[in-house]
Each structure stands twice: as C-alpha cells, then as structure tokens.
Amino acid sequence: MSVRKESKTRQKTAVKEKAQVSAKLIPIYIMGKRYEVPEGLTIMKAMEYAGYRFIRGCGCRGGTCGACGTVYRKPGDYKLQVALACQKTVEPNMYLAQIPFFPANRAQFEFAELTAAPEEIFRLYPELFRCVACNACTKACPQGIEVMDAVSALKQGNIAEVARLSFDCIQCGLCASRCFGELAQYHMFQLARRIYGARIAPRAQHLADMVRKVKEGRYDGMLEELKRATVDELKKLYQEREIEPIGAGEDWRPRDTRYL
Ligand code: FES
C-alpha cells in the first residue's frame, strides 16, 4: 500500500470531519509518529483520519484483494503481528506500518508447458522443502487458511488438496512475511490452483456444450440485435431481465430459454 500525507486543504477537511466524530480518541503510532484517532476505526480509516491518503494498493477495502498488509506491535509485547488494514481495528498505542508489497520469490514459467506433475512445482519452488513446520504462516493468515497444512500437502504432491485448502487465499503475502524458511506460500498455492483448474479438475460438460454452441454461431444473430439496439433499448432489456431468485437450485431455468 502506498500512502502520502494530505495537502493542507484536505487536512483541513479531515480536521472538520474529526470534529464530527464523537468517539473516544486513542493514541496510535503510524510509522513511528503518534496520532490520536477514534477508537473502532479500521487501521485504514484511522490512517485516513490521521491525514494519509491511499494513492494505490488499497483496492477493495473489503478484505478480498490482499493489498493492505500491515505489520504492528502492541505495547509491552515483543511479538510482531500482521493484519489487513481494511479489516483490523486500531488498538491503543499500537505501533504500525504498511507493507506496500512483499517481494517474495515468484517463479517464472510458461504455464502452457507445465503438466500436473508435482515435481514441476518442486523444481520451480525448491525452497518448499525448507519448511520447518513452525506454523507461523497459519497464524499470520488473515483468511484463516491452514497454510502449513497446504504446504505439507504440496510437499506430498497433493495438488488438489492444496487447491482446496488455499481456495480463500487473497495473495496478501503475510504468510511469506513471517516464514522462517523464506517460502512464498501464496505464490506456490496460486500455481497449484492454476494447475488444478487447468489439468486436474474434471471438465464441465455444460461449459463444453456452451462453447460448442457459441462456435457454431447460435448466438451471432442475438449479438447483432444487441449491437443495433439503442442505449434506451439496452437499458430496458437490462431492467426487465429475469433475475435468478436468491437461493435458486441447480435446476432453475429462466422462462425465456432462447439464450440457453
Ligand atoms: S484493501 Fe483489499 S484486502 Fe484490504
């Protein structure tokens, strides 16, 4: 995440907003400097309250993009902690700093040349076997992933299990930041998931059928109709479209089946 201090005008606006906030103020230290911020804010909002503006790397603000890795320590505690700035709320006297980007090793490869043989991942990431099973990666994961278990599965060549265990990974890199063995777990897992999707997972017959229909030109006429439509006509079509009900089962079908 990249941040910079705000201009004077923006700082004045921030000061006004501060006056409107009635929550109790607590001290925190952002990159060594003390600020007072309302309790209950996330680290990201607290930094903005303190006058910082995120100019890149703060993506989703919802805990899904992994761009806002933060390292912090609480007073009297030797232990460094990690968190997502958009999720973790501030605590009194927390010392924190952003991790703009974690420069873990990311192997170079031609994906099309890779097979599902686990040895290929071993060759690309030989440091995998430096894992000492300390579990620091699992403790650091803001997604609650059993990172060390996924590393073990990868060492055993079980790519499907790695894909399953790491499905919720958001690539924040916090596991790698705490790893004694200097592994880049998140990059290894991403490769495993890609291999699983491309080479191991069963093919979906309905997808193959749809691709065939598209290639046969089944939708060409409909596409042309859409291309000729005015903006208002497109809006009407969009607004009147039949929406799949929430909780609809696998067998749900729209009334108009022309597009299936
Ligand atoms: S901003 Fe996307 S995870 Fe925090």
Side-chain angles (χ1 to χ4, degrees):
M1 177 185 312
S2 291
V3 290
R4 72 174 180 218
K5 290 310 295 281
E6 292 284 37
S7 67
K8 285 221 162 105
T9 317
R10 280 183 173 275
Q11 280 178 348
K12 275 185 198 159
T13 311
V15 170
K16 267 194 211 160
E17 283 168 1
K18 268 183 207 179
Q20 291 162 4
V21 176
S22 55
K24 180 181 155 198
L25 297 179
I26 57 170
I28 63 168
Y29 295 82
I30 302 172
M31 288 174 261
K33 189 161 187 268
R34 186 179 191 277
Y35 296 90
E36 298 220 333
V37 300
E39 68 179 355
L41 293 186
T42 61
I43 290 173
M44 189 174 272
K45 285 186 179 159
M47 289 184 71
E48 289 172 324
Y49 181 88
Y52 289 85
R53 183 159 67 102
F54 295 95
I55 55 175
R56 68 179 168 86
C58 57
C60 67
R61 293 173 172 258
T64 54
C65 78
C68 61
T70 305
V71 59
Y72 68 94
R73 192 176 60 75
K74 292 192 272 188
D77 191 354
Y78 69 92
K79 190 171 167 44
L80 276 177
Q81 317 251 14
V82 290
L84 297 176
C86 70
Q87 300 297 298
K88 172 76 186 162
T89 50
V90 286
E91 294 177 33
N93 295 307
M94 169 188 247
Y95 274 78
L96 63 93
Q98 304 308 130
I99 307 175
F101 163 73
F102 197 77
N105 175 41
R106 185 168 190 272
Q108 301 295 306
F109 49 81
E110 280 295 330
F111 187 76
E113 292 171 7
L114 295 182
T115 69
E119 291 75 16
E120 297 188 2
I121 302 182
F122 302 164
R123 175 177 55 78
L124 290 165
Y125 289 107
E127 63 270 33
L128 171 64
F129 294 95
R130 288 171 48 86
C131 172
V132 293
C134 68
N135 211 30
C137 50
T138 302
K139 289 183 190 153
C141 180
Q143 291 292 90
I145 293 170
E146 293 293 337
V147 183
M148 193 188 77
D149 290 356
V151 168
S152 299
L154 191 54
K155 285 198 282 191
Q156 291 160 21
N158 191 342
I159 293 175
E161 181 66 355
V162 179
R164 189 187 70 77
L165 285 169
S166 71
F167 187 79
D168 289 330
C169 176
I170 56 173
Q171 306 289 119
C172 65
L174 293 175
C175 50
S177 78
R178 305 299 287 145
C179 179
F180 290 107
E182 312 280 355
L183 275 66
Q185 298 92 333
Y186 63 120
H187 288 322
M188 297 175 187
F189 297 166
Q190 186 184 51
L191 176 56
R193 290 195 302 278
R194 289 184 67 191
I195 289 176
Y196 177 75
R199 313 267 186 270
I200 300 173
R203 302 291 92 186
Q205 189 54 46
H206 68 281
L207 179 61
D209 292 344
M210 185 55 84
V211 169
R212 179 179 46 74
K213 288 180 194 170
V214 170
K215 284 185 175 162
E216 288 170 357
R218 180 183 167 112
Y219 300 100
D220 291 357
M222 299 172 200
L223 195 56
E224 285 309 312
E225 263 179 49
L226 287 176
K227 280 157 77 177
R228 280 195 297 273
T230 64
V231 172
D232 284 341
E233 286 167 339
L234 287 174
K235 278 185 186 167
K236 188 165 180 292
L237 275 174
Y238 179 74
Q239 281 155 1
E240 291 177 357
R241 75 196 186 284
E242 189 182 353
I243 299 174
E244 182 177 336
I246 294 171
E250 287 289 312
D251 55 351
W252 180 83
R253 291 285 178 276
R255 281 188 296 276
D256 182 354
T257 55
R258 272 178 304 161
Y259 305 107
L260 297 183

